[in-house]
Amino acid sequence: MDSRAYVFIYPLRTAADIPDDFPHEVRTRNFETGVFLPQDDSNWFTRPPKYPARLLLLDDQSFQIIPHPTSVQAPVEIKLDELLQLENGSSLLLGWLRFTTTDGVQEIIYNTRASRPLEKFLNHLKRAWCSTPFPIQSIPDEAYGDELDIKFRNSLHFEVDEREIPLVRYFEAPVPFERKFLFFHRVAWRPGNLVLLTSMNRLLWITDERGGRRELYASNSFSVRASSIRGASVEEIDGRRELAISFTHDNSWRVPVGRGAEEISSFLHSLHKLVWHSLVSRENNQIL
């Protein structure tokens, strides 16, 4: 059967799980784990499709994105050491992945129906990518800002690996505000934002902002290796305060914040302390 007609995501545990219409050299490839993604059908007038059926295959050092052989797109290999940022998000049935390297961004759009196999694959990928754990024997979970609401609590639950422990986090819940235009008044919402450091050497940012505004049914997460952090501070631009975090290779986050300076300062102090402690521990282990 033509795998372009498949409509469900499913896991690839061995080469025998790869559809027969992919080339022989692909179906005999060694890999640790993988997943099949169906062709995106959100714009079926487009020929060829922008997001064809494809395989994601993970091994020790890299992962491959292999489009269906009828696609005009070429296979892509991304080495884990060259992956700068991983973004994954969803809004109802629309899901997206973006893999950022120094060469650019690889984007995948997919339907979120029955997407659990993809979520498990991404957990394997993040674990392999952020493979150096923090020493956590005596480190409590430090929480700053607001209490997690049910939406962000669920987003965090599905985002972190079962062996991954939050170490320090900062959360600002969505808040309503009033917009005025002449005699008209409208209630809008400022998006919620959660930034946390985990025991898997991962810095994670989860937001429900999409397209410059809050979306009730959207959740978007950005992951980087904590070892790539180069600085973090609060900046004020045009009357707006932002948590600015810079990474290697000119990658950066700008997270809107509205709380008092003391809460954010305490979070940044804990973040710097944990990242520095981890870097020193790794350097000492390498010397030994």
Side-chain angles (χ1 to χ4, degrees), residues 88 119 122-134 136 141 155-169 196-206 221-226:
N88 60 288
E119 294 165 7
L122 291 175
N123 282 340
H124 282 288
L125 173 57
K126 292 166 188 172
R127 195 184 310 140
W129 175 40
C130 304
S131 56
T132 304
F134 281 86
I136 59 173
D141 179 7
S155 295
L156 180 59
H157 171 76
F158 288 111
E159 175 63 34
V160 298
D161 182 87
E162 59 185 8
R163 290 178 280 177
E164 190 174 10
I165 301 172
L167 301 181
V168 58
R169 67 178 187 263
L196 70 149
L197 180 68
T198 79
S199 60
M200 205 169 65
N201 188 36
R202 179 162 67 123
L203 191 67
L204 173 64
W205 171 23
I206 302 176
S221 72
F222 303 83
S223 297
V224 298
R225 280 174 164 170

mmCIF file of all heavy atoms in Angstrom, residues 88 119 122-134 136 141 155-169 196-206 221-226:
data_model
loop_
_atom_site.group_PDB
_atom_site.id
_atom_site.type_symbol
_atom_site.label_atom_id
_atom_site.label_comp_id
_atom_site.label_asym_id
_atom_site.label_seq_id
_atom_site.Cartn_x
_atom_site.Cartn_y
_atom_site.Cartn_z
ATOM 1 N N ASN A 88 8.556 22.467 19.573
ATOM 2 C CA ASN A 88 7.380 21.679 19.204
ATOM 3 C C ASN A 88 6.141 22.292 19.832
ATOM 4 O O ASN A 88 6.152 22.705 20.990
ATOM 5 C CB ASN A 88 7.532 20.201 19.586
ATOM 6 C CG ASN A 88 7.731 19.974 21.069
ATOM 7 O OD1 ASN A 88 8.784 20.271 21.604
ATOM 8 N ND2 ASN A 88 6.720 19.424 21.730
ATOM 9 N N GLU A 119 5.364 11.847 20.384
ATOM 10 C CA GLU A 119 5.781 12.397 21.676
ATOM 11 C C GLU A 119 6.836 11.514 22.324
ATOM 12 O O GLU A 119 7.815 12.013 22.898
ATOM 13 C CB GLU A 119 4.558 12.538 22.591
ATOM 14 C CG GLU A 119 3.543 13.571 22.101
ATOM 15 C CD GLU A 119 2.196 13.439 22.807
ATOM 16 O OE1 GLU A 119 2.104 12.626 23.762
ATOM 17 O OE2 GLU A 119 1.248 14.138 22.413
ATOM 18 N N LEU A 122 10.125 12.048 20.497
ATOM 19 C CA LEU A 122 10.750 13.302 20.880
ATOM 20 C C LEU A 122 11.399 13.199 22.267
ATOM 21 O O LEU A 122 12.445 13.802 22.511
ATOM 22 C CB LEU A 122 9.733 14.435 20.853
ATOM 23 C CG LEU A 122 9.233 14.844 19.462
ATOM 24 C CD1 LEU A 122 8.135 15.900 19.582
ATOM 25 C CD2 LEU A 122 10.377 15.367 18.599
ATOM 26 N N ASN A 123 10.794 12.433 23.174
ATOM 27 C CA ASN A 123 11.421 12.220 24.478
ATOM 28 C C ASN A 123 12.758 11.491 24.338
ATOM 29 O O ASN A 123 13.742 11.837 25.004
ATOM 30 C CB ASN A 123 10.481 11.430 25.392
ATOM 31 C CG ASN A 123 9.384 12.282 25.987
ATOM 32 O OD1 ASN A 123 9.496 13.508 26.040
ATOM 33 N ND2 ASN A 123 8.308 11.656 26.428
ATOM 34 N N HIS A 124 12.800 10.477 23.470
ATOM 35 C CA HIS A 124 14.070 9.786 23.206
ATOM 36 C C HIS A 124 15.100 10.746 22.619
ATOM 37 O O HIS A 124 16.276 10.734 23.008
ATOM 38 C CB HIS A 124 13.843 8.621 22.242
ATOM 39 C CG HIS A 124 13.247 7.400 22.864
ATOM 40 N ND1 HIS A 124 13.946 6.572 23.714
ATOM 41 C CD2 HIS A 124 12.009 6.861 22.762
ATOM 42 C CE1 HIS A 124 13.183 5.575 24.109
ATOM 43 N NE2 HIS A 124 11.993 5.731 23.543
ATOM 44 N N LEU A 125 14.646 11.569 21.678
ATOM 45 C CA LEU A 125 15.546 12.516 21.025
ATOM 46 C C LEU A 125 16.106 13.525 22.029
ATOM 47 O O LEU A 125 17.321 13.791 22.058
ATOM 48 C CB LEU A 125 14.798 13.245 19.907
ATOM 49 C CG LEU A 125 15.514 14.402 19.215
ATOM 50 C CD1 LEU A 125 16.832 13.952 18.613
ATOM 51 C CD2 LEU A 125 14.618 15.032 18.164
ATOM 52 N N LYS A 126 15.250 14.090 22.868
ATOM 53 C CA LYS A 126 15.700 15.072 23.854
ATOM 54 C C LYS A 126 16.659 14.453 24.859
ATOM 55 O O LYS A 126 17.630 15.079 25.279
ATOM 56 C CB LYS A 126 14.493 15.680 24.570
ATOM 57 C CG LYS A 126 13.621 16.545 23.678
ATOM 58 C CD LYS A 126 12.279 16.844 24.324
ATOM 59 C CE LYS A 126 11.334 17.540 23.362
ATOM 60 N NZ LYS A 126 9.969 17.683 23.894
ATOM 61 N N ARG A 127 16.391 13.203 25.234
ATOM 62 C CA ARG A 127 17.274 12.518 26.178
ATOM 63 C C ARG A 127 18.654 12.287 25.561
ATOM 64 O O ARG A 127 19.686 12.448 26.222
ATOM 65 C CB ARG A 127 16.647 11.195 26.611
ATOM 66 C CG ARG A 127 17.295 10.564 27.846
ATOM 67 C CD ARG A 127 16.672 9.209 28.148
ATOM 68 N NE ARG A 127 15.222 9.297 28.179
ATOM 69 C CZ ARG A 127 14.407 8.376 27.676
ATOM 70 N NH1 ARG A 127 14.903 7.306 27.088
ATOM 71 N NH2 ARG A 127 13.101 8.519 27.762
ATOM 72 N N ALA A 128 18.690 11.900 24.291
ATOM 73 C CA ALA A 128 19.970 11.684 23.622
ATOM 74 C C ALA A 128 20.711 12.997 23.389
ATOM 75 O O ALA A 128 21.945 13.058 23.469
ATOM 76 C CB ALA A 128 19.740 10.970 22.289
ATOM 77 N N TRP A 129 19.961 14.043 23.100
ATOM 78 C CA TRP A 129 20.544 15.363 22.820
ATOM 79 C C TRP A 129 21.074 16.021 24.091
ATOM 80 O O TRP A 129 22.201 16.522 24.124
ATOM 81 C CB TRP A 129 19.465 16.223 22.163
ATOM 82 C CG TRP A 129 19.813 17.637 21.890
ATOM 83 C CD1 TRP A 129 21.016 18.123 21.434
ATOM 84 C CD2 TRP A 129 18.946 18.772 22.018
ATOM 85 N NE1 TRP A 129 20.939 19.488 21.278
ATOM 86 C CE2 TRP A 129 19.695 19.904 21.622
ATOM 87 C CE3 TRP A 129 17.624 18.924 22.417
ATOM 88 C CZ2 TRP A 129 19.140 21.196 21.635
ATOM 89 C CZ3 TRP A 129 17.069 20.184 22.413
ATOM 90 C CH2 TRP A 129 17.817 21.312 22.035
ATOM 91 N N CYS A 130 20.286 16.034 25.141
ATOM 92 C CA CYS A 130 20.675 16.629 26.425
ATOM 93 C C CYS A 130 21.089 15.505 27.364
ATOM 94 O O CYS A 130 20.384 15.183 28.319
ATOM 95 C CB CYS A 130 19.523 17.425 27.026
ATOM 96 S SG CYS A 130 18.874 18.724 25.956
ATOM 97 N N SER A 131 22.243 14.913 27.093
ATOM 98 C CA SER A 131 22.583 13.647 27.741
ATOM 99 C C SER A 131 23.347 13.797 29.048
ATOM 100 O O SER A 131 23.572 12.808 29.741
ATOM 101 C CB SER A 131 23.423 12.788 26.785
ATOM 102 O OG SER A 131 24.584 13.491 26.366
ATOM 103 N N THR A 132 23.764 15.010 29.405
ATOM 104 C CA THR A 132 24.560 15.190 30.614
ATOM 105 C C THR A 132 23.665 15.656 31.747
ATOM 106 O O THR A 132 23.181 16.780 31.738
ATOM 107 C CB THR A 132 25.677 16.230 30.389
ATOM 108 O OG1 THR A 132 26.459 15.811 29.273
ATOM 109 C CG2 THR A 132 26.557 16.325 31.617
ATOM 110 N N PRO A 133 23.408 14.817 32.766
ATOM 111 C CA PRO A 133 22.507 15.211 33.843
ATOM 112 C C PRO A 133 23.167 16.143 34.847
ATOM 113 O O PRO A 133 24.377 16.137 35.021
ATOM 114 C CB PRO A 133 22.163 13.879 34.511
ATOM 115 C CG PRO A 133 23.376 13.039 34.278
ATOM 116 C CD PRO A 133 23.914 13.445 32.933
ATOM 117 N N PHE A 134 22.370 16.954 35.494
ATOM 118 C CA PHE A 134 22.831 17.772 36.611
ATOM 119 C C PHE A 134 22.913 16.911 37.864
ATOM 120 O O PHE A 134 22.119 15.984 38.031
ATOM 121 C CB PHE A 134 21.845 18.922 36.877
ATOM 122 C CG PHE A 134 21.991 20.070 35.945
ATOM 123 C CD1 PHE A 134 21.331 20.073 34.728
ATOM 124 C CD2 PHE A 134 22.781 21.149 36.277
ATOM 125 C CE1 PHE A 134 21.458 21.144 33.859
ATOM 126 C CE2 PHE A 134 22.911 22.216 35.410
ATOM 127 C CZ PHE A 134 22.253 22.212 34.203
ATOM 128 N N ILE A 136 21.728 16.177 41.268
ATOM 129 C CA ILE A 136 20.460 16.624 41.836
ATOM 130 C C ILE A 136 20.209 16.077 43.238
ATOM 131 O O ILE A 136 19.121 16.222 43.775
ATOM 132 C CB ILE A 136 19.284 16.189 40.940
ATOM 133 C CG1 ILE A 136 19.275 14.659 40.810
ATOM 134 C CG2 ILE A 136 19.344 16.855 39.594
ATOM 135 C CD1 ILE A 136 18.065 14.125 40.099
ATOM 136 N N ASP A 141 13.166 21.481 44.205
ATOM 137 C CA ASP A 141 12.448 22.129 43.103
ATOM 138 C C ASP A 141 12.101 23.548 43.550
ATOM 139 O O ASP A 141 11.245 23.736 44.404
ATOM 140 C CB ASP A 141 11.195 21.329 42.772
ATOM 141 C CG ASP A 141 10.387 21.959 41.634
ATOM 142 O OD1 ASP A 141 10.872 22.931 41.025
ATOM 143 O OD2 ASP A 141 9.268 21.491 41.372
ATOM 144 N N SER A 155 0.722 20.829 30.115
ATOM 145 C CA SER A 155 1.755 21.018 29.087
ATOM 146 C C SER A 155 3.110 20.545 29.587
ATOM 147 O O SER A 155 3.868 19.888 28.857
ATOM 148 C CB SER A 155 1.835 22.491 28.681
ATOM 149 O OG SER A 155 0.648 22.918 28.058
ATOM 150 N N LEU A 156 3.421 20.870 30.840
ATOM 151 C CA LEU A 156 4.692 20.437 31.421
ATOM 152 C C LEU A 156 4.731 18.926 31.576
ATOM 153 O O LEU A 156 5.760 18.288 31.303
ATOM 154 C CB LEU A 156 4.893 21.125 32.769
ATOM 155 C CG LEU A 156 6.185 20.789 33.520
ATOM 156 C CD1 LEU A 156 7.407 21.154 32.693
ATOM 157 C CD2 LEU A 156 6.217 21.501 34.864
ATOM 158 N N HIS A 157 3.621 18.333 31.973
ATOM 159 C CA HIS A 157 3.566 16.881 32.158
ATOM 160 C C HIS A 157 3.877 16.152 30.853
ATOM 161 O O HIS A 157 4.628 15.162 30.845
ATOM 162 C CB HIS A 157 2.171 16.485 32.663
ATOM 163 C CG HIS A 157 1.935 15.001 32.681
ATOM 164 N ND1 HIS A 157 2.476 14.171 33.651
ATOM 165 C CD2 HIS A 157 1.220 14.187 31.848
ATOM 166 C CE1 HIS A 157 2.116 12.927 33.409
ATOM 167 N NE2 HIS A 157 1.356 12.908 32.330
ATOM 168 N N PHE A 158 3.314 16.601 29.754
ATOM 169 C CA PHE A 158 3.536 15.934 28.481
ATOM 170 C C PHE A 158 4.887 16.289 27.862
ATOM 171 O O PHE A 158 5.378 15.566 26.999
ATOM 172 C CB PHE A 158 2.413 16.284 27.493
ATOM 173 C CG PHE A 158 1.105 15.624 27.821
ATOM 174 C CD1 PHE A 158 0.027 16.361 28.275
ATOM 175 C CD2 PHE A 158 0.961 14.257 27.686
ATOM 176 C CE1 PHE A 158 -1.176 15.752 28.582
ATOM 177 C CE2 PHE A 158 -0.243 13.628 27.994
ATOM 178 C CZ PHE A 158 -1.315 14.384 28.447
ATOM 179 N N GLU A 159 5.484 17.377 28.312
ATOM 180 C CA GLU A 159 6.742 17.826 27.727
ATOM 181 C C GLU A 159 7.955 17.128 28.343
ATOM 182 O O GLU A 159 8.925 16.829 27.646
ATOM 183 C CB GLU A 159 6.874 19.351 27.893
ATOM 184 C CG GLU A 159 8.200 19.931 27.423
ATOM 185 C CD GLU A 159 8.440 19.730 25.932
ATOM 186 O OE1 GLU A 159 7.462 19.752 25.165
ATOM 187 O OE2 GLU A 159 9.617 19.548 25.545
ATOM 188 N N VAL A 160 7.941 16.884 29.652
ATOM 189 C CA VAL A 160 9.138 16.341 30.303
ATOM 190 C C VAL A 160 9.143 14.821 30.257
ATOM 191 O O VAL A 160 8.106 14.163 30.267
ATOM 192 C CB VAL A 160 9.257 16.818 31.770
ATOM 193 C CG1 VAL A 160 9.398 18.321 31.828
ATOM 194 C CG2 VAL A 160 8.069 16.356 32.600
ATOM 195 N N ASP A 161 10.339 14.279 30.218
ATOM 196 C CA ASP A 161 10.546 12.840 30.268
ATOM 197 C C ASP A 161 10.241 12.340 31.681
ATOM 198 O O ASP A 161 10.365 13.071 32.657
ATOM 199 C CB ASP A 161 12.000 12.539 29.882
ATOM 200 C CG ASP A 161 12.308 11.065 29.858
ATOM 201 O OD1 ASP A 161 12.095 10.429 28.813
ATOM 202 O OD2 ASP A 161 12.765 10.549 30.891
ATOM 203 N N GLU A 162 9.846 11.069 31.794
ATOM 204 C CA GLU A 162 9.496 10.519 33.107
ATOM 205 C C GLU A 162 10.673 10.511 34.071
ATOM 206 O O GLU A 162 10.492 10.488 35.296
ATOM 207 C CB GLU A 162 8.943 9.102 32.955
ATOM 208 C CG GLU A 162 9.907 8.131 32.301
ATOM 209 C CD GLU A 162 9.300 6.758 32.061
ATOM 210 O OE1 GLU A 162 8.087 6.620 32.270
ATOM 211 O OE2 GLU A 162 10.046 5.845 31.649
ATOM 212 N N ARG A 163 11.910 10.537 33.544
ATOM 213 C CA ARG A 163 13.095 10.561 34.400
ATOM 214 C C ARG A 163 13.668 11.973 34.565
ATOM 215 O O ARG A 163 14.733 12.147 35.143
ATOM 216 C CB ARG A 163 14.175 9.643 33.822
ATOM 217 C CG ARG A 163 13.834 8.168 33.912
ATOM 218 C CD ARG A 163 14.902 7.303 33.277
ATOM 219 N NE ARG A 163 14.755 7.281 31.827
ATOM 220 C CZ ARG A 163 15.601 6.638 31.016
ATOM 221 N NH1 ARG A 163 16.631 5.994 31.511
ATOM 222 N NH2 ARG A 163 15.410 6.652 29.716
ATOM 223 N N GLU A 164 12.961 12.944 34.061
ATOM 224 C CA GLU A 164 13.427 14.329 34.067
ATOM 225 C C GLU A 164 12.777 15.090 35.222
ATOM 226 O O GLU A 164 11.565 15.048 35.395
ATOM 227 C CB GLU A 164 13.070 14.975 32.728
ATOM 228 C CG GLU A 164 13.697 16.326 32.478
ATOM 229 C CD GLU A 164 13.407 16.811 31.071
ATOM 230 O OE1 GLU A 164 12.573 16.178 30.374
ATOM 231 O OE2 GLU A 164 14.003 17.812 30.667
ATOM 232 N N ILE A 165 13.596 15.800 35.995
ATOM 233 C CA ILE A 165 13.115 16.471 37.199
ATOM 234 C C ILE A 165 13.264 17.988 37.041
ATOM 235 O O ILE A 165 14.368 18.464 36.760
ATOM 236 C CB ILE A 165 13.894 16.004 38.436
ATOM 237 C CG1 ILE A 165 13.748 14.491 38.612
ATOM 238 C CG2 ILE A 165 13.418 16.729 39.689
ATOM 239 C CD1 ILE A 165 14.636 13.930 39.698
ATOM 240 N N PRO A 166 12.189 18.769 37.233
ATOM 241 C CA PRO A 166 12.333 20.230 37.239
ATOM 242 C C PRO A 166 13.173 20.672 38.439
ATOM 243 O O PRO A 166 12.941 20.225 39.568
ATOM 244 C CB PRO A 166 10.888 20.732 37.365
ATOM 245 C CG PRO A 166 10.035 19.580 36.915
ATOM 246 C CD PRO A 166 10.769 18.355 37.336
ATOM 247 N N LEU A 167 14.154 21.542 38.187
ATOM 248 C CA LEU A 167 15.028 22.018 39.254
ATOM 249 C C LEU A 167 14.653 23.423 39.711
ATOM 250 O O LEU A 167 14.583 23.699 40.905
ATOM 251 C CB LEU A 167 16.490 22.000 38.794
ATOM 252 C CG LEU A 167 17.049 20.643 38.362
ATOM 253 C CD1 LEU A 167 18.505 20.774 37.969
ATOM 254 C CD2 LEU A 167 16.885 19.611 39.464
ATOM 255 N N VAL A 168 14.444 24.302 38.766
ATOM 256 C CA VAL A 168 14.066 25.669 39.105
ATOM 257 C C VAL A 168 13.172 26.193 37.986
ATOM 258 O O VAL A 168 13.428 25.937 36.806
ATOM 259 C CB VAL A 168 15.306 26.570 39.301
ATOM 260 C CG1 VAL A 168 16.186 26.596 38.059
ATOM 261 C CG2 VAL A 168 14.899 27.981 39.708
ATOM 262 N N ARG A 169 12.089 26.911 38.364
ATOM 263 C CA ARG A 169 11.168 27.365 37.330
ATOM 264 C C ARG A 169 10.594 28.737 37.686
ATOM 265 O O ARG A 169 10.533 29.124 38.855
ATOM 266 C CB ARG A 169 10.028 26.361 37.138
ATOM 267 C CG ARG A 169 9.072 26.221 38.318
ATOM 268 C CD ARG A 169 7.961 25.234 37.966
ATOM 269 N NE ARG A 169 6.930 25.175 38.981
ATOM 270 C CZ ARG A 169 6.866 24.266 39.936
ATOM 271 N NH1 ARG A 169 7.805 23.343 40.004
ATOM 272 N NH2 ARG A 169 5.885 24.279 40.822
ATOM 273 N N LEU A 196 11.912 26.903 32.706
ATOM 274 C CA LEU A 196 12.448 26.040 33.747
ATOM 275 C C LEU A 196 13.704 25.310 33.289
ATOM 276 O O LEU A 196 13.916 25.088 32.093
ATOM 277 C CB LEU A 196 11.411 25.025 34.212
ATOM 278 C CG LEU A 196 11.014 23.895 33.266
ATOM 279 C CD1 LEU A 196 10.635 22.663 34.070
ATOM 280 C CD2 LEU A 196 9.832 24.327 32.411
ATOM 281 N N LEU A 197 14.509 24.987 34.273
ATOM 282 C CA LEU A 197 15.714 24.187 34.082
ATOM 283 C C LEU A 197 15.436 22.804 34.631
ATOM 284 O O LEU A 197 14.851 22.663 35.712
ATOM 285 C CB LEU A 197 16.888 24.821 34.826
ATOM 286 C CG LEU A 197 18.234 24.106 34.742
ATOM 287 C CD1 LEU A 197 18.802 24.176 33.331
ATOM 288 C CD2 LEU A 197 19.211 24.709 35.742
ATOM 289 N N THR A 198 15.827 21.753 33.895
ATOM 290 C CA THR A 198 15.551 20.390 34.331
ATOM 291 C C THR A 198 16.842 19.623 34.593
ATOM 292 O O THR A 198 17.934 20.036 34.200
ATOM 293 C CB THR A 198 14.723 19.618 33.288
ATOM 294 O OG1 THR A 198 15.586 19.167 32.230
ATOM 295 C CG2 THR A 198 13.605 20.476 32.727
ATOM 296 N N SER A 199 16.686 18.470 35.240
ATOM 297 C CA SER A 199 17.821 17.619 35.573
ATOM 298 C C SER A 199 18.459 16.987 34.350
ATOM 299 O O SER A 199 19.504 16.349 34.455
ATOM 300 C CB SER A 199 17.373 16.508 36.528
ATOM 301 O OG SER A 199 16.365 15.715 35.927
ATOM 302 N N MET A 200 17.862 17.145 33.184
ATOM 303 C CA MET A 200 18.382 16.560 31.956
ATOM 304 C C MET A 200 19.242 17.559 31.186
ATOM 305 O O MET A 200 19.429 17.416 29.971
ATOM 306 C CB MET A 200 17.228 16.061 31.085
ATOM 307 C CG MET A 200 17.602 14.943 30.134
ATOM 308 S SD MET A 200 16.154 14.175 29.344
ATOM 309 C CE MET A 200 15.522 15.526 28.357
ATOM 310 N N ASN A 201 19.720 18.604 31.889
ATOM 311 C CA ASN A 201 20.562 19.597 31.226
ATOM 312 C C ASN A 201 19.790 20.338 30.146
ATOM 313 O O ASN A 201 20.331 20.687 29.107
ATOM 314 C CB ASN A 201 21.822 18.932 30.631
ATOM 315 C CG ASN A 201 22.819 19.943 30.099
ATOM 316 O OD1 ASN A 201 22.984 21.022 30.655
ATOM 317 N ND2 ASN A 201 23.487 19.593 29.013
ATOM 318 N N ARG A 202 18.503 20.579 30.403
ATOM 319 C CA ARG A 202 17.655 21.220 29.399
ATOM 320 C C ARG A 202 17.012 22.462 29.981
ATOM 321 O O ARG A 202 16.477 22.445 31.092
ATOM 322 C CB ARG A 202 16.561 20.247 28.937
ATOM 323 C CG ARG A 202 15.607 20.848 27.896
ATOM 324 C CD ARG A 202 14.831 19.794 27.149
ATOM 325 N NE ARG A 202 13.877 19.068 27.952
ATOM 326 C CZ ARG A 202 12.564 19.002 27.680
ATOM 327 N NH1 ARG A 202 12.064 19.635 26.629
ATOM 328 N NH2 ARG A 202 11.750 18.294 28.441
ATOM 329 N N LEU A 203 17.077 23.561 29.218
ATOM 330 C CA LEU A 203 16.315 24.753 29.544
ATOM 331 C C LEU A 203 15.092 24.751 28.645
ATOM 332 O O LEU A 203 15.198 24.597 27.418
ATOM 333 C CB LEU A 203 17.139 26.020 29.323
ATOM 334 C CG LEU A 203 16.506 27.305 29.878
ATOM 335 C CD1 LEU A 203 16.450 27.257 31.402
ATOM 336 C CD2 LEU A 203 17.272 28.542 29.413
ATOM 337 N N LEU A 204 13.929 24.924 29.248
ATOM 338 C CA LEU A 204 12.658 24.761 28.555
ATOM 339 C C LEU A 204 11.804 26.011 28.734
ATOM 340 O O LEU A 204 11.702 26.543 29.838
ATOM 341 C CB LEU A 204 11.932 23.537 29.135
ATOM 342 C CG LEU A 204 10.505 23.243 28.693
ATOM 343 C CD1 LEU A 204 10.454 22.925 27.209
ATOM 344 C CD2 LEU A 204 9.946 22.069 29.508
ATOM 345 N N TRP A 205 11.213 26.467 27.636
ATOM 346 C CA TRP A 205 10.274 27.598 27.669
ATOM 347 C C TRP A 205 8.966 27.135 27.043
ATOM 348 O O TRP A 205 8.936 26.705 25.892
ATOM 349 C CB TRP A 205 10.865 28.786 26.911
ATOM 350 C CG TRP A 205 9.924 29.948 26.693
ATOM 351 C CD1 TRP A 205 8.799 30.267 27.414
ATOM 352 C CD2 TRP A 205 10.026 30.955 25.675
ATOM 353 N NE1 TRP A 205 8.207 31.404 26.918
ATOM 354 C CE2 TRP A 205 8.942 31.850 25.853
ATOM 355 C CE3 TRP A 205 10.947 31.186 24.650
ATOM 356 C CZ2 TRP A 205 8.748 32.949 25.017
ATOM 357 C CZ3 TRP A 205 10.755 32.283 23.813
ATOM 358 C CH2 TRP A 205 9.665 33.157 24.010
ATOM 359 N N ILE A 206 7.886 27.214 27.825
ATOM 360 C CA ILE A 206 6.558 26.863 27.347
ATOM 361 C C ILE A 206 5.681 28.112 27.371
ATOM 362 O O ILE A 206 5.655 28.836 28.367
ATOM 363 C CB ILE A 206 5.912 25.773 28.226
ATOM 364 C CG1 ILE A 206 6.781 24.510 28.257
ATOM 365 C CG2 ILE A 206 4.517 25.416 27.701
ATOM 366 C CD1 ILE A 206 6.251 23.423 29.175
ATOM 367 N N SER A 221 6.547 24.892 22.911
ATOM 368 C CA SER A 221 7.714 24.740 23.783
ATOM 369 C C SER A 221 9.001 24.863 22.979
ATOM 370 O O SER A 221 9.082 24.430 21.825
ATOM 371 C CB SER A 221 7.672 23.395 24.509
ATOM 372 O OG SER A 221 7.931 22.330 23.625
ATOM 373 N N PHE A 222 10.001 25.462 23.618
ATOM 374 C CA PHE A 222 11.330 25.631 23.036
ATOM 375 C C PHE A 222 12.337 24.986 23.997
ATOM 376 O O PHE A 222 12.301 25.263 25.196
ATOM 377 C CB PHE A 222 11.682 27.104 22.861
ATOM 378 C CG PHE A 222 10.702 27.879 22.016
ATOM 379 C CD1 PHE A 222 9.541 28.391 22.572
ATOM 380 C CD2 PHE A 222 10.942 28.093 20.671
ATOM 381 C CE1 PHE A 222 8.632 29.105 21.808
ATOM 382 C CE2 PHE A 222 10.045 28.805 19.894
ATOM 383 C CZ PHE A 222 8.887 29.317 20.460
ATOM 384 N N SER A 223 13.211 24.153 23.462
ATOM 385 C CA SER A 223 14.210 23.474 24.282
ATOM 386 C C SER A 223 15.606 23.788 23.768
ATOM 387 O O SER A 223 15.841 23.814 22.553
ATOM 388 C CB SER A 223 14.008 21.956 24.251
ATOM 389 O OG SER A 223 12.762 21.593 24.805
ATOM 390 N N VAL A 224 16.534 24.019 24.704
ATOM 391 C CA VAL A 224 17.948 24.174 24.380
ATOM 392 C C VAL A 224 18.765 23.433 25.434
ATOM 393 O O VAL A 224 18.278 23.174 26.542
ATOM 394 C CB VAL A 224 18.403 25.656 24.334
ATOM 395 C CG1 VAL A 224 17.665 26.427 23.267
ATOM 396 C CG2 VAL A 224 18.230 26.303 25.694
ATOM 397 N N ARG A 225 19.991 23.104 25.099
ATOM 398 C CA ARG A 225 20.912 22.585 26.102
ATOM 399 C C ARG A 225 21.276 23.714 27.065
ATOM 400 O O ARG A 225 21.631 24.813 26.639
ATOM 401 C CB ARG A 225 22.177 22.065 25.443
ATOM 402 C CG ARG A 225 22.060 20.679 24.828
ATOM 403 C CD ARG A 225 23.332 20.352 24.087
ATOM 404 N NE ARG A 225 23.451 18.932 23.794
ATOM 405 C CZ ARG A 225 24.378 18.422 22.996
ATOM 406 N NH1 ARG A 225 25.261 19.232 22.428
ATOM 407 N NH2 ARG A 225 24.444 17.134 22.778
ATOM 408 N N ALA A 226 21.197 23.435 28.358
ATOM 409 C CA ALA A 226 21.529 24.464 29.339
ATOM 410 C C ALA A 226 22.985 24.900 29.227
ATOM 411 O O ALA A 226 23.323 26.044 29.540
ATOM 412 C CB ALA A 226 21.240 23.955 30.746
#
